[in-house]
């Protein structure tokens, strides 16, 4: 099948886009409408295999069961005899954009901020909930199957690839057959249980949330057996410990519940997980805003203004602004705090954080130097090497 071939006398192949395990994908023009569509063609050698042909047809059935703005639109499905071969084809909406995997990898930090991760994944959970209600389980959720498409109303998220979806009433996977992508497979998929349900998609969504916020899937191994063992026994590491200042505790709870080993312990629906993610985002933003307001409300004094106020050189409190405010250096801290020369063996230890500074009381005209810890503290300490250096002259003899 080459560029220029006509399918069913109405689809002209114009460009080769790529290929997967079951078939090749072409950009085509639908005649006489002039609309661009994507056509997925099953490999001719697979058309004679009943299971693979049925799986290809099931993709069309699964994707067309639900009409949702966040899923790819299926236009047509059929077969055509080309030469001595029977050719199965699936006509879909043509999408241009980038995948979620590429978005994560192309980000400057190689991971997404919480608001962007929630914005994208909630647009996946909405159609996923609709598919679950219609009896369709995707079973292959991963960042490569999430397309981010620019549109006039902003970026739109599209859920793709229902090739291995499980459809109620069409069971083509027998017990003992494992399907899915290893990094995103639930424990019941690994053990090839026959009665899997929507919980396998919830597990994969937990992994994608972790990957979006961390940059990598929670479980990485050199071989597939070790990777499966991690899915069966291990839990992902807490993101709040890796990024302590980003208030990710709520998202850790969402991930831990979505990736529970027992399907009954996970979220019972995609809508429930979506609401939990939105609640975690609200809590994270509230904590960040609280910290920002607390930091901005603290007025800082320069060392000279502090000394003048302390010694009552000026009778009025000088105006404070962010432009003329600087932080105490170590040298100024020695002068202010010690009021005496410091020997060479004295260690100056900086133990401050940006919010720990000298403050002026907003209600009283006098300086309150003990409201907050000073920016630096001085500790008299003679280090080990300082002592050794004094004895060096004896060692040289």
């Amino acid at each position: 099948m080459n560029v220029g071939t006509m399918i069913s006398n109405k689809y002209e192949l114009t460009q080769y886009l790529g290929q997967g395990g079951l078939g090749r994908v072409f950009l085509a023009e639908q005649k006489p409408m002039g609309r661009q569509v994507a056509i997925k063609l099953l490999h001719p050698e697979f058309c004679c295999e009943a299971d693979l042909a049925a799986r290809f047809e099931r993709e069309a059935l699964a994707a067309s069961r639900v009409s949702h703005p966040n899923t790819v639109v299926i236009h047509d499905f059929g077969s055509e005899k080309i030469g001595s071969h029977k050719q199965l084809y699936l006509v879909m909406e043509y999408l241009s954009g980038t995948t979620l995997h590429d978005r994560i990898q192309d980000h400057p930090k190689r991971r997404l901020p919480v608001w962007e991760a929630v914005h994208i994944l909630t647009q996946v959970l909405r159609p996923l909930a609709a598919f679950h209600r219609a009896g369709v389980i995707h079973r292959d959720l991963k960042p490569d199957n999430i397309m981010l498409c620019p549109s006039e109303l902003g970026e739109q998220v599209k859920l793709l690839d229902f090739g291995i979806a499980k459809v109620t009433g069409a069971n083509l996977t027998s017990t003992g057959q494992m399907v899915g992508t290893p990094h995103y497979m639930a424990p019941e998929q690994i053990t090839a249980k026959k009665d899997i349900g929507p919980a396998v998609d919830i597990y994969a969504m937990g992994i994608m949330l972790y990957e979006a916020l961390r940059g990598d899937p929670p479980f990485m191994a050199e071989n597939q057996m070790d990777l499966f063992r991690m899915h069966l026994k291990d839990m992902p590491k807490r993101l709040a410990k890796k990024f302590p200042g980003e208030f990710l505790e709520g998202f850790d709870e969402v991930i831990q519940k979505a990736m529970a080993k027992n399907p009954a312990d996970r979220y019972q629906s995609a809508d429930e997980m979506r609401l939990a993610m939105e609640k975690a985002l609200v809590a994270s933003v509230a904590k960040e805003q609280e910290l920002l307001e607390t930091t901005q409300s603290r007025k800082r004094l320069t060392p000279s203004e502090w000394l003048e106020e302390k010694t009552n050189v000026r009778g009025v409190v000088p105006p404070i602004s962010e432009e003329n405010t600087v932080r105490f250096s170590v040298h100024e801290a020695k002068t202010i705090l010690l009021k005496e020369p410091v020997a060479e063996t004295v260690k100056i230890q900086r133990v401050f954080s940006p919010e720990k500074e000298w403050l002026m009381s907003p209600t009283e005209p006098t300086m309150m130097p003990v409201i907050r810890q000073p920016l630096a503290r001085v500790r008299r300490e003679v280090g080990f090497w300082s002592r050794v250096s004094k004895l060096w002259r004896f060692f040289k003899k």
Side-chain angles (χ1 to χ4, degrees), residues 95-107:
L95 301 174
S96 61
T98 183
T99 64
L100 176 58
H101 176 268
D102 292 337
R103 172 66 60 83
I104 296 172
Q105 297 301 315
D106 293 341
H107 196 274

Side-chain angles (χ1 to χ4, degrees), residues 300-308 310 324-342 348-350 352 357-358 374-378:
R300 297 190 287 264
L301 290 176
T302 62
S304 59
E305 290 170 338
W306 184 86
L307 288 175
E308 289 176 356
K310 188 70 176 177
N324 66 359
T325 300
V326 295
R327 297 174 179 173
F328 288 103
S329 65
V330 174
H331 174 72
E332 291 165 335
K334 291 191 299 183
T335 305
I336 295 173
L337 298 177
L338 296 180
K339 301 292 184 180
E340 61 181 5
V342 182
I348 305 300
Q349 183 184 18
R350 302 197 67 163
F352 66 90
E357 300 174 1
W358 294 89
L375 200 63
R377 75 180 181 197
V378 180

Side-chain angles (χ1 to χ4, degrees), residues 81-278:
K81 189 173 182 180
I82 300 178
S84 60
H85 298 286
K86 179 183 178 182
Q87 179 67 66
L88 293 176
Y89 64 88
L90 176 64
V91 184
M92 302 174 291
E93 171 189 14
Y94 173 65
L95 301 174
S96 61
T98 183
T99 64
L100 176 58
H101 176 268
D102 292 337
R103 172 66 60 83
I104 296 172
Q105 297 301 315
D106 293 341
H107 196 274
K109 294 184 178 180
R110 287 193 71 251
R111 60 187 185 92
L112 302 182
V114 292
W115 65 267
E116 186 173 0
V118 173
H119 171 71
I120 293 173
L121 294 181
T122 51
Q123 291 189 66
V124 179
L125 286 166
R126 291 180 186 277
L128 192 63
F131 278 109
H132 288 171
R133 289 191 292 268
V136 179
I137 304 170
H138 193 283
R139 296 199 299 182
D140 197 23
L141 290 174
K142 56 185 177 181
D144 285 326
N145 287 339
I146 308 300
M147 183 71 75
L148 311 177
C149 308
S151 66
E152 295 180 356
L153 301 179
E155 189 174 69
Q156 191 173 22
V157 179
K158 291 284 189 175
L159 177 60
L160 312 177
D161 199 353
F162 288 80
I164 63 172
K166 180 181 179 182
V167 182
T168 302
N171 187 12
L172 299 179
T173 305
S174 59
T175 304
Q177 185 177 358
M178 182 172 55
V179 294
T181 303
H183 282 95
Y184 306 91
M185 290 174 64
E188 57 267 34
Q189 281 180 284
I190 296 174
T191 55
K193 291 184 178 180
K194 192 174 182 179
D195 56 342
I196 64 171
V200 299
D201 290 341
I202 299 297
Y203 186 91
M205 289 299 302
I207 295 179
M208 286 201 293
L209 175 60
Y210 184 98
E211 183 173 357
L213 299 177
R214 176 67 177 84
D216 295 303
F219 303 133
M220 303 290 289
E222 294 182 357
N223 58 75
Q224 190 166 287
M225 293 305 298
D226 288 341
L227 183 62
F228 287 161
R229 179 191 58 80
M230 292 179 180
H231 280 294
L232 293 173
K233 296 183 179 181
D234 298 343
M235 292 300 293
K237 296 181 180 179
R238 297 270 178 170
L239 293 172
K241 293 183 178 180
K242 179 67 176 178
F243 309 105
E246 299 187 12
F247 308 109
L248 299 177
E249 292 81 3
F251 292 99
D252 277 326
E253 298 303 323
V254 174
I255 293 170
Q256 294 289 321
K257 184 169 183 178
M259 294 183 61
K261 303 308 175 186
N262 186 357
D265 296 333
R266 300 173 198 156
Y267 294 104
Q268 297 305 301
S269 68
D271 285 332
E272 183 183 357
M273 183 177 178
R274 176 178 56 81
L275 293 176
M277 288 174 55
E278 293 173 348

Side-chain angles (χ1 to χ4, degrees), residues 51-80:
D51 289 347
L52 294 178
R55 188 184 300 278
F56 192 76
E57 183 178 358
R58 183 177 57 181
E59 179 176 2
L61 173 63
S64 59
R65 273 205 173 188
V66 174
S67 177
H68 196 279
N70 296 117
T71 59
V72 62
V73 179
I74 302 298
H75 295 306
D76 195 5
F77 175 79
S79 63
E80 182 174 349

